[in-house]
Amino acid sequence: MAREVKDARSEQTVGIILAAGEGKRMQSDRPKVLHEAGGLPLLDWVLRAFTEAGISNVVCVVGSGADTIRAKYEDLSFAYQAERLGSGHAVMQALPQLTGPGYTFIAAGDMPLLRGSTIRAMISEAEDQHIDCVLLTAELEDPTGYGRIIRGDDGNVEMIVEHRDATGEQQRVREVNASCYCIRTELLRELLPKLETGNAQGEYYLTDIVRLINEWGGTVGTHTAPWEECLGVNDRVQLAEASHLLYSRTCDSLMRSGVTIMDPACTYIDPETTIGRDTIVYPGVTLEAGCEIGSQAVLYPGSRFHHSKVGDRTEVQNSVLLESEVGPDSRIGPYAYLRPGAKVGSHCRIGDFVELKNCSIGDGTKVSHLTYIGDADFGRDINVGCGVVVVNYDGHDKFRSTVHDDAFIGCNTNLISPVEVGRGAYIAAGTTVTEDVPEDVLAIGRSRQTVIPDWQDKRRKDKSSRTPT
Ligand code: UD1
Ligand code: MG
């Protein structure tokens, strides 16, 4: 989770995240704020920024797709906007939760690049300089679609004009509203009910609060951020742009902490991931849902890790690891598939086309090729030959098997679970193990080979004597 900075002022501040919009421009059945960028849903990024800023009292306004959002964020407080009548109307729904003095910090749920440090700076500016409202703004090369900051001759902000409502001259303004506001709560409560819908979209725009504050005689200030922090995700093109920027932000901080990332533009690491010093990450690696990677590990191209751990100096090539753990000094892949609950020790070798599921593999054990191990516990220093299958499922129930240390499992062995193979036992290739095998024995369970002499000669003669029809 994001690091929380203790600040008495932030703790007083109520946070509001606007997430009720339909997100029509996404052309999606999923609520916009649940779309992922940089490895996390948009809403998670905004929540992380709030947490980082020390705002713990957060209300999320939901409407479209409310049930889905509520189910995913059980610990969050919500306000419900039954009809989508605009961003100002969304804030009105949270009014009952806006008690006490101090400031309310409002951010749109679609701005995942917003930083906690920016939120903190805005709150400090508002409080230290007694400003009624601090807006986040940025200068954009192409401000199309954004609300424009309209300043008077004295340089003070007069109002925000939405792109659709702007005159030609106003549209040339490149300073935009990021949809992020720190407003004195008492004033917000007083002025919100005064918003009106006389605009191109017939909505209650939150942006109009700026004009109302000026009319009331209040003060409006701005805090300028780098353009990317203000990026609002309204469609899939902006989603991809935000995603790219967020992934590179994560890669930057990992590289600065001593991780080599060969090509950050083609590396997808979520921000909950930890990676040790001197680990090398090749292009095309995806690390999802909080992975822990040790130091001096090598993650070769084309591997996907989901909520998995990899030990120091371990190498992984073209493999998929889901909710799995691998100890230090092991080699995984190419083309290994570690499914949930696979636990591999140190100095192991898990080779090509090996699938592991809900199993433990002890230190020094080698499973080099074409094998399935599911629901089983393998001890240390075992050699598993090619094509071994733990037959864990009888079509109805799953069973668990155990193989003890130093055993040798010959190629093409089937272990029909549940069975136990004793320490140091040797299973001959092609054996189907249906009963427990004691320690240090040879178990062989295959039919004897029959050799029929001159069989091909007879066959050829038979063939030539047949008259064609
Ligand atoms: C908004 C701002 C615009 C700013 C831009 C920055 C308004 C009127 N305009 O425009 O000045 O430049 O963000 O990205 O605010 N929402 C609700 N309920 C509603 C409508 C919207 O909760 O009825 C929420 C949305 O879920 C979203 C946020 O408010 O998180 C902003 O709405 P959106 O439609 O994205 O506004 P923009 O057109 O991006
Ligand atoms: Mg938006």
Side-chain angles (χ1 to χ4, degrees):
M1 255 331 266
R3 193 165 53 91
E4 187 174 333
V5 175
K6 290 280 169 219
D7 181 331
R9 294 183 297 197
S10 302
E11 276 173 25
Q12 275 187 9
T13 306
V14 180
I16 297 185
I17 301 177
L18 305 180
E22 279 161 38
K24 284 193 200 115
R25 290 163 278 183
M26 292 298 284
Q27 304 286 348
S28 173
D29 294 331
R30 208 190 314 176
K32 177 165 79 174
V33 293
L34 297 189
H35 281 267
E36 287 192 6
L40 291 180
L42 298 178
L43 183 53
D44 278 42
W45 285 105
V46 182
L47 284 167
R48 282 168 67 91
F50 275 60
T51 307
E52 223 177 282
I55 303 177
S56 49
N57 184 3
V58 179
V59 180
C60 183
V61 184
V62 288
S64 184
D67 292 345
T68 324
I69 300 173
R70 277 199 170 109
K72 195 167 158 47
Y73 299 88
E74 285 173 340
D75 301 334
L76 207 59
S77 301
F78 291 98
Y80 183 64
Q81 186 190 22
E83 279 182 287
R84 258 61 70 199
L85 302 179
S87 51
H89 182 256
V91 179
M92 287 178 205
Q93 313 314 305
L95 268 180
Q97 277 127 298
L98 300 182
T99 51
Y103 282 82
T104 299
F105 195 94
I106 305 169
D110 65 357
M111 43 186 312
L113 285 123
L114 175 65
R115 288 184 191 268
S117 53
T118 301
I119 298 179
R120 264 203 324 278
M122 288 172 70
I123 296 172
S124 300
E125 277 165 32
E127 298 219 347
D128 295 347
Q129 298 165 40
H130 305 287
I131 304 173
D132 292 308
C133 171
V134 173
L135 302 171
L136 187 64
T137 72
E139 288 272 338
L140 297 193
E141 276 301 311
D142 176 12
T144 309
Y146 286 84
R148 306 299 204 283
I149 303 291
I150 308 299
R151 293 183 185 266
D153 295 336
D154 55 3
N156 288 329
V157 179
E158 280 180 353
M159 59 183 167
I160 300 171
V161 178
E162 287 306 292
H163 182 91
R164 288 206 234 182
D165 299 293
T167 61
E169 194 188 334
Q170 288 169 333
Q171 286 193 359
R172 281 193 288 279
V173 173
R174 286 177 37 226
E175 188 184 12
V176 302
N177 166 40
S179 222
C180 194
Y181 319 78
C182 182
I183 308 183
R184 196 157 60 75
T185 303
E186 275 173 12
L187 194 57
L188 180 65
R189 293 180 62 85
E190 185 179 331
L191 296 181
L192 259 187
K194 297 197 165 73
L195 291 177
E196 287 171 0
T197 56
N199 51 56
Q201 299 188 76
E203 289 185 353
Y204 295 97
Y205 287 167
L206 179 58
T207 45
D208 287 343
I209 203 86
V210 171
R211 192 176 36 79
L212 293 177
I213 292 172
N214 280 322
E215 283 168 13
W216 181 87
T219 45
V220 177
T222 54
H223 179 93
T224 305
W227 70 269
E228 68 270 13
E229 254 192 272
C230 303
L231 180 69
V233 174
N234 294 320
D235 58 29
R236 312 260 182 166
V237 175
Q238 288 167 324
L239 184 71
E241 195 179 1
S243 199
H244 172 72
L245 291 165
L246 289 162
Y247 279 130
S248 63
R249 202 186 256 185
T250 304
C251 283
D252 282 359
S253 89
L254 287 166
M255 290 188 287
R256 287 185 208 290
S257 71
V259 178
T260 296
I261 298 179
M262 306 269 253
D263 186 354
C266 304
T267 308
Y268 311 96
I269 304 179
D270 88 32
E272 312 271 312
T273 305
T274 58
I275 307 183
R277 278 157 72 101
D278 292 322
T279 283
I280 302 173
V281 183
Y282 278 71
V285 167
T286 303
L287 291 149
E288 305 164 347
C291 292
E292 288 174 41
I293 311 296
S295 50
Q296 295 175 48
V298 186
L299 311 184
Y300 285 106
S303 290
R304 175 177 169 226
F305 303 81
H306 185 95
H307 198 61
S308 292
K309 290 184 187 174
V310 172
D312 298 344
R313 297 171 301 280
T314 283
E315 296 182 9
V316 183
Q317 282 200 61
N318 286 89
S319 294
V320 176
L321 281 77
L322 311 176
E323 294 164 43
S324 297
E325 273 181 55
V326 180
D329 301 294
S330 290
R331 280 190 298 144
I332 309 293
Y335 316 116
Y337 183 21
L338 275 62
R339 292 169 51 203
K343 277 192 175 176
V344 176
S346 65
H347 298 92
C348 290
R349 163 105 189 87
I350 307 295
D352 48 277
F353 305 105
V354 171
E355 179 174 335
L356 305 180
K357 184 217 73 168
N358 189 23
C359 64
S360 56
I361 307 292
D363 298 346
T365 288
K366 293 184 173 48
V367 190
S368 296
H369 5 240
L370 301 161
T371 287
Y372 172 67
I373 298 178
D375 303 308
D377 299 294
F378 278 53
R380 301 165 69 111
D381 299 315
I382 295 167
N383 190 82
V384 179
C386 180
V388 170
V389 176
V390 174
V391 185
N392 59 330
Y393 184 50
D394 66 2
H396 196 261
D397 291 309
K398 297 260 167 77
F399 299 94
R400 203 168 181 94
S401 281
T402 306
V403 178
H404 290 280
D405 299 350
D406 301 313
F408 182 99
I409 314 292
C411 292
N412 233 19
T413 293
N414 292 311
L415 297 165
I416 312 289
S417 294
V419 285
E420 188 166 349
V421 176
R423 190 191 170 98
Y426 192 109
I427 314 280
T431 296
T432 294
V433 179
T434 53
E435 289 166 22
D436 290 352
V437 178
E439 266 185 48
D440 290 334
V441 299
L442 167 70
I444 179 161
R446 59 186 186 217
S447 53
R448 279 194 176 277
Q449 183 171 325
T450 308
V451 174
I452 303 171
D454 306 327
W455 184 80
Q456 275 288 36
D457 268 1
K458 275 189 234 152
R459 187 161 169 260
R460 282 188 203 113
K461 273 182 208 147
D462 279 0
K463 230 182 187 174
S464 59
S465 65
R466 253 185 256 147
T467 29
T469 50

